[in-house]
Amino acid sequence: MNESSGCPLDRRLIRGSSHPVLLPINPQERLLKSIEKNRIQEVKEILLAGLTPGQSSCPKLINPLTMALKNARWEIAALLFRVGWRTEDNRALNSLGWMYQQGLGVKQNYIRALFWYSRAAKKGDSEAQKNIGWMYHFGLGVKKDYTIAIFWYRKAANQKNATAQNNLGFMYEKGLGVQQDRTMAIFWYQKAVKQGHPVALTHLDALRPNPRARS
């Protein structure tokens, strides 16, 4: 194999041989393993060695940034993002928004959080839709707007997002952005409870004539 083509090469000693031989080694595969083990220093060394998003000499593997975000490796995700890695995975885009909302590995930035949530929400991600609703509900980086919050909670709730269903129930219970409606509040709380949402159960109990009753 020519050292100047194909995947990078590594000199390794084969058992039973006194001479090192050239074996193919995939730097992106090494990067993925380092991410999996949350070995931040190893990731830094691999990136400093020159691995870039545009490297295409080896077969494509899972996107390192996608993997880091899905596994909540926030500091590693921030490193990868800074050197140019990007992702189009819905769940990862939502996690990128969460990273900025909470300031995990990056400086907290609600505007950037909303940007990435919006990217994921447009692709139909219910968690991102729920998170946008939350930001408008509490005015995080945007002007508080219950009507917009309701819009996004409803989109997520219709996709069976339990937290969005609970939040929508709360909006109806308190009359935030909608006319106060106990029946609709119970309706959405019940949907969330069926999915095991513990807070929704507490809310539902408080609305029932007999708090000890269970549906």
Side-chain angles (χ1 to χ4, degrees):
M1 181 181 288
N2 190 328
E3 293 189 43
S4 64
S5 63
C7 294
L9 300 173
D10 190 19
R11 293 186 178 277
R12 300 183 186 178
L13 194 65
I14 300 298
R15 182 178 297 179
S17 172
S18 59
H19 301 288
V21 296
L22 292 174
L23 293 177
I25 181 169
N26 189 331
Q28 187 167 325
E29 187 174 337
R30 289 172 55 197
L31 178 60
L32 293 173
K33 289 180 179 178
S34 298
I35 294 170
E36 182 182 6
K37 301 295 183 180
N38 201 26
R39 294 171 178 163
I40 299 172
Q41 189 56 42
E42 286 184 12
V43 171
K44 290 180 179 178
E45 291 172 359
I46 293 169
L47 296 177
L48 285 173
L51 180 63
T52 66
Q55 185 173 359
S56 59
S57 58
C58 295
K60 289 186 178 180
L61 302 174
I62 185 173
N63 186 317
L65 178 59
T66 299
M67 181 179 187
L69 288 166
K70 286 186 175 182
N71 288 278
R73 308 303 195 204
W74 305 117
E75 188 173 346
I76 292 175
L79 283 171
L80 294 169
F81 189 76
R82 289 189 191 108
V83 299
W85 292 90
R86 296 293 184 268
T87 180
E88 290 300 325
D89 181 272
N90 292 5
R91 181 180 162 194
L93 288 171
N94 174 67
S95 294
L96 190 56
W98 180 254
M99 186 172 80
Y100 275 104
Q101 181 182 336
Q102 300 299 318
L104 302 170
V106 294
K107 185 177 180 180
Q108 189 178 51
N109 189 315
Y110 291 139
I111 301 301
R112 290 189 179 182
L114 187 60
F115 172 81
W116 293 111
Y117 285 151
S118 297
R119 287 278 303 276
K122 288 177 181 178
K123 290 172 171 283
D125 187 90
S126 69
E127 276 296 301
Q129 292 168 350
K130 178 263 296 179
N131 288 336
I132 294 175
W134 184 265
M135 296 190 79
Y136 277 99
H137 185 166
F138 293 98
L140 303 178
V142 292
K143 184 178 180 179
K144 186 182 293 186
D145 191 318
Y146 294 141
T147 302
I148 296 178
I150 286 279
F151 171 83
W152 287 107
Y153 282 156
R154 194 182 303 279
K155 286 182 76 71
N158 286 335
Q159 292 196 71
K160 300 183 178 179
N161 185 294
T163 301
Q165 291 171 342
N166 170 73
N167 294 355
L168 195 53
F170 181 83
M171 303 298 270
Y172 274 106
E173 179 185 353
K174 302 300 181 182
L176 303 176
V178 290
Q179 184 175 349
Q180 193 171 26
D181 190 325
R182 182 175 178 275
T183 300
M184 287 301 296
I186 290 174
F187 172 80
W188 286 110
Y189 284 148
Q190 286 178 330
K191 282 186 171 293
V193 167
K194 287 179 180 179
Q195 297 191 75
H197 197 284
V199 177
L201 180 58
T202 301
H203 289 159
L204 188 59
D205 280 346
L207 287 177
R208 285 170 168 164
N210 178 7
R212 294 181 178 277
R214 294 288 187 271
S215 62

